[in-house]
Amino acid sequence: MVLGMGFVPTGEKNNDHAVMWPAMAAIAAVVFYWSVAKMREFFRSVETLHHELKQFQCEDCLCYCCSIGHATVDGQTLLCDRRILLSCITRWFGSVQAFDSVVRSEVLTCLTEQLASQVFTYKEFVVMAVPVLWLHMDDASTPLDWILRPADGHTVWVDYEMKISARAILRGVGGTFGNVPILFHLTSKLTCLLRKQVGRTERVKLCSSVLINCSVIVIVILVFVGMLYLELELLISGSLEGSLFTLAIFDLVVIVCAMLSFRCFPTQINF
Ligand SMILES: [Zn+2]
Ligand SMILES: [Zn+2]
């Protein structure tokens, strides 16, 4: 769903990326915009469902059989589903009123809670972030390829290549289990908070929606750039061994932060 974010630039200034990156960024922006719009819509529909269930009344439900007067076009009489259902409900729940109150309390709580707070969990977001790991595994495989298939006349620095490879893996782990879930979580929090449509006319609603969606995107991208900048700072500071160590610490910190943010600030609608 939010896979549009599932690409993380590796940070190396490579000329091959001059065309690929803007193209990927453009695709990501479109997909990301769409995801943000859809997520806001989702939270709005959960809210609507909540309000509808809160006023649920069995009596309000329409029945096809009753609407056509219990007779088909060719004059045959139809059994009344409504009477059958109501008698079943009375048998199971004691009375129709008791059934109504079960829907308004237990069913309402379970359904909206599951929809609003159990869809966007840490686990779900890690699963969505897995392509980030693939990207870094791809990065990690290049130095290993140098070791396994060295170019003629070149000395292979096994130790060095292994460390470069380990660095890519560390970045992938941090991204998949830390950074990207944090970004996804931020997106879900923001879209949940800003789910409401502003304005009375359709045109105003559309304009305000575009503005809201774009501000969500800008905030998430700013945080993303901040994270990337911090990571790159850590990468270029000190020796390769040193950067491996700081990167491992960084990974640990972001993963703990990611888990804590999901636990302490779960995405939920306060009804
Ligand atoms: Zn019916
Ligand atoms: Zn009927």
Side-chain angles (χ1 to χ4, degrees):
M1 189 159 122
V2 241
L3 258 183
M5 288 284 299
F7 84 97
V8 178
T10 46
E12 280 135 313
K13 299 272 181 294
N14 200 328
N15 285 333
D16 300 346
H17 291 146
V19 181
M20 273 304 284
W21 277 17
M24 274 168 80
I27 294 168
V30 171
V31 176
F32 190 29
Y33 182 90
W34 184 83
S35 312
V36 166
K38 281 289 154 198
M39 279 167 89
R40 287 183 57 226
E41 203 181 306
F42 170 78
F43 287 119
R44 279 200 301 275
S45 66
V46 172
E47 203 177 15
T48 313
L49 182 71
H50 179 96
H51 289 308
E52 276 171 10
L53 276 184
K54 213 171 174 179
Q55 283 148 28
F56 177 82
Q57 256 190 319
C58 214
E59 292 295 315
D60 295 343
C61 299
L62 297 174
C63 225
Y64 176 70
C65 61
C66 301
S67 70
I68 56 159
H70 308 105
T72 53
V73 204
D74 42 305
Q76 280 182 302
T77 34
L78 270 179
L79 272 177
C80 185
D81 301 334
R82 194 183 192 88
R83 279 173 55 195
I84 298 167
L85 280 171
L86 287 179
S87 74
C88 286
I89 286 169
T90 314
R91 188 161 293 182
W92 292 332
F93 293 89
S95 67
V96 174
Q97 283 73 29
F99 173 68
D100 284 348
S101 76
V102 167
V103 172
R104 282 185 224 151
S105 55
E106 275 174 60
V107 176
L108 173 86
T109 319
C110 290
L111 196 68
T112 44
E113 205 180 278
Q114 277 173 26
L115 283 173
S117 52
Q118 286 173 27
V119 176
F120 302 104
T121 57
Y122 177 66
K123 212 174 116 189
E124 295 295 324
F125 283 142
V126 166
V127 172
M128 284 189 242
V130 163
V132 175
L133 190 62
W134 296 339
L135 184 81
H136 288 279
M137 278 165 81
D138 182 39
D139 263 357
S141 66
T142 319
L144 298 180
D145 192 44
W146 274 102
I147 299 174
L148 294 171
R149 292 184 302 164
D152 288 331
H154 282 263
T155 325
V156 179
W157 304 95
V158 176
D159 192 46
Y160 173 79
E161 300 293 358
M162 289 296 276
K163 276 171 188 155
I164 292 286
S165 183
R167 193 173 72 177
I169 294 288
L170 279 176
R171 294 189 71 192
V173 169
T176 311
F177 296 93
N179 293 334
V180 178
I182 288 177
L183 291 172
F184 284 157
H185 187 46
L186 181 66
T187 313
S188 79
K189 281 299 277 190
L190 287 173
T191 49
C192 182
L193 284 172
L194 303 170
R195 64 185 177 275
K196 285 206 169 60
Q197 280 185 315
V198 185
R200 289 211 187 94
T201 60
E202 281 306 307
R203 190 177 262 178
V204 179
K205 273 186 186 167
L206 186 73
C207 290
S208 63
S209 264
V210 171
L211 268 174
I212 292 172
N213 296 349
C214 288
S215 15
V216 170
I217 293 173
V218 167
I219 294 170
V220 175
I221 288 178
L222 282 179
V223 174
F224 172 64
V225 170
M227 281 173 166
L228 204 67
Y229 186 77
L230 186 67
E231 205 187 348
L232 290 181
E233 280 293 308
L234 293 175
L235 280 184
I236 53 170
S237 64
S239 61
L240 185 56
E241 288 85 358
S243 75
L244 278 181
F245 181 71
T246 37
L247 206 57
I249 301 288
F250 178 74
D251 277 8
L252 201 69
V253 171
V254 286
I255 292 170
V256 170
C257 282
M259 286 171 158
L260 281 179
S261 77
F262 279 89
R263 178 139 312 171
C264 302
F265 314 102
T267 303
Q268 58 190 18
I269 303 171
N270 297 315
F271 297 106

